[in-house]
Amino acid sequence: MTQSDRDEAHAFDFLEEDAFDAQDYGLEDYLTLGIFWLLALDVFLQFFTRYVLGNSIAWTEEMARYLLVMVGFMGGTMAVRKGSHIAVEFFYRYMPPWMARTASTLVDLVNIVFLAAMVWITFKLAGLTTALMTSVDIPKSYLYYIVMLGFGLMLARAVQVAIRHWRSGTSELLGSQ
């Protein structure tokens, strides 16, 4: 077998490594994907009406903005589940294992308290908001409730992650300790 034959035989190995398994994804992944496709459709509609038809639809720009906010908050839930939010891992490498685990647990608890506070604050803010969106007659409070949903899902995932960290005695922050 020549080198060319071996290269050809392994040319599509990357497809096997990344085989789709629905169990690797959570509800928030599918919600985010759906909202993202709505955003893509909205932006395409805006592009098409503005540059092809020469007269853009007014509500597409505002909807794109709000859909992008939704994607951001739903995507935040995915990051909480995977433990891929930005963190300072440098200090954990130089701490004794017991101190690193204590700090990691404290980070989990602060994360839960922060997300719970954000759920409460966005709930109160949505209740106080009476304005309508600029280009469509939809209450702006709906957007705040969706942000609250994003924070609520992040909170639920943060509790799951904290329980998993506590049971396993490790965390993504601890690395190989």
Side-chain angles (χ1 to χ4, degrees), residues 25-177:
Y25 301 96
L27 172 67
E28 62 274 10
D29 296 316
Y30 297 109
L31 283 172
T32 304
L33 182 64
I35 295 169
F36 178 79
W37 277 108
L38 284 174
L39 172 62
L41 182 67
D42 180 67
V43 171
F44 175 76
L45 182 63
Q46 182 180 22
F47 170 82
F48 182 78
T49 57
R50 177 175 289 163
Y51 295 109
V52 176
L53 300 179
N55 188 11
S56 68
I57 301 173
W59 57 264
T60 55
E61 182 180 345
E62 186 177 20
M63 284 301 115
R65 191 176 322 123
Y66 295 145
L67 288 168
L68 188 59
V69 168
M70 290 181 214
V71 166
F73 280 94
M74 292 295 143
T77 305
M78 294 169 17
V80 170
R81 187 187 80 242
K82 294 178 181 180
S84 61
H85 271 122
I86 296 172
V88 180
E89 299 174 20
F90 176 78
F91 298 111
Y92 290 95
R93 295 180 187 189
Y94 299 105
M95 290 181 183
W98 67 269
M99 187 184 291
R101 182 160 191 252
T102 303
S104 174
T105 301
L106 186 61
V107 166
D108 285 340
L109 293 175
V110 168
N111 193 17
I112 289 169
V113 169
F114 172 77
L115 292 170
M118 290 295 96
V119 168
W120 178 251
I121 289 169
T122 53
F123 175 73
K124 296 299 272 182
L125 180 63
L128 294 173
T129 304
T130 58
L132 296 176
M133 294 180 186
T134 305
S135 58
V136 275
D137 291 334
I138 298 174
K140 217 178 243 188
S141 62
Y142 288 5
L143 176 66
Y144 294 128
Y145 283 122
I146 291 172
V147 169
M148 184 191 75
L149 174 67
F151 277 129
L153 290 171
M154 282 188 248
L155 175 62
R157 290 299 188 180
V159 169
Q160 287 176 337
V161 166
I163 290 169
R164 183 178 71 229
H165 289 167
W166 183 254
R167 287 183 179 164
S168 68
T170 187
S171 165
E172 292 84 5
L173 294 173
L174 301 178
S176 61
Q177 286 188 359

